[in-house]
Amino acid sequence: MPVHHAVEAGASWLRALRVYTAVLVPGMLAWEAVQLPLYTLWRDGTPGEIAFAVVHCTLGDGLIGVAALAWALFMVGDESWPAAGSMRVLVATVMIAAAYTIYSEWLNVEVRSTWSYADAMPRLPWIGTGLAPLLQWIVVPPLALFAARRAEQRHLIT
């Protein structure tokens, strides 16, 4: 591969990762804020505790989202991403993030009691995971990946 093509491919990945993260983190912040009433913290926490939880969880979600994408790219991506193979990467990202969420929710709700669900939290009957945190990973990362792909397509056109 000529040097200028390698630079363009690297710039493409970097641009896509930046857009993904720039959409993912605010999306996670919004989701965390909206789902707060589904946790007992909303009822029992102080304003400071609630604010800390939202910031802490949003930053953690950002790290999980970037790590899930990195693992997906490692497992099913290739050097042409995001121009090609984006659906494989999207599916793998969601599967990795959802699997981690199921484990994390079980660990933190059932084992460690780090947080707890309010009665209003819909739960998956066979595993007990809250539906809202699982849907978060089915909705927000794909939106961020679609935004990254669209930004890359616009860049290639201009």
Side-chain angles (χ1 to χ4, degrees):
M1 173 184 293
V3 173
H4 72 281
H5 289 298
V7 170
E8 288 174 17
S12 176
W13 275 61
L14 182 58
R15 203 171 21 256
L17 288 171
R18 285 178 173 162
V19 171
Y20 171 76
T21 304
V23 172
L24 180 79
V25 173
M28 291 299 180
L29 174 62
W31 196 284
E32 289 294 342
V34 168
Q35 75 177 354
L36 266 172
L38 300 175
Y39 291 87
T40 58
L41 178 69
W42 179 251
R43 181 189 67 226
D44 301 336
T46 66
E49 290 169 334
I50 292 169
F52 176 81
V54 169
V55 170
H56 176 266
C57 292
T58 299
L59 294 175
D61 291 342
L63 292 173
I64 294 163
V66 170
L69 175 58
W71 275 105
L73 288 167
F74 177 74
M75 293 188 314
V76 300
D78 60 43
E79 60 276 352
S80 63
W81 183 86
S86 59
M87 190 53 67
R88 281 190 322 268
V89 171
L90 184 149
V91 169
T93 300
V94 169
M95 289 177 62
I96 292 163
Y100 177 79
T101 296
I102 290 168
Y103 168 74
S104 177
E105 292 290 315
W106 167 78
L107 182 66
N108 287 291
V109 172
E110 303 297 331
V111 177
R112 294 182 178 161
S113 298
T114 308
W115 60 78
S116 55
Y117 299 139
D119 292 338
M121 173 69 81
R123 295 175 78 161
L124 299 176
W126 59 94
I127 56 177
T129 299
L131 185 59
L134 187 57
L135 284 175
Q136 178 177 7
W137 292 100
I138 295 170
V139 172
V140 180
L143 292 175
L145 285 168
F146 286 133
R149 177 150 166 84
R150 185 175 173 125
E152 186 56 30
Q153 288 170 336
R154 277 195 308 258
H155 179 77
L156 292 174
I157 292 171
T158 57

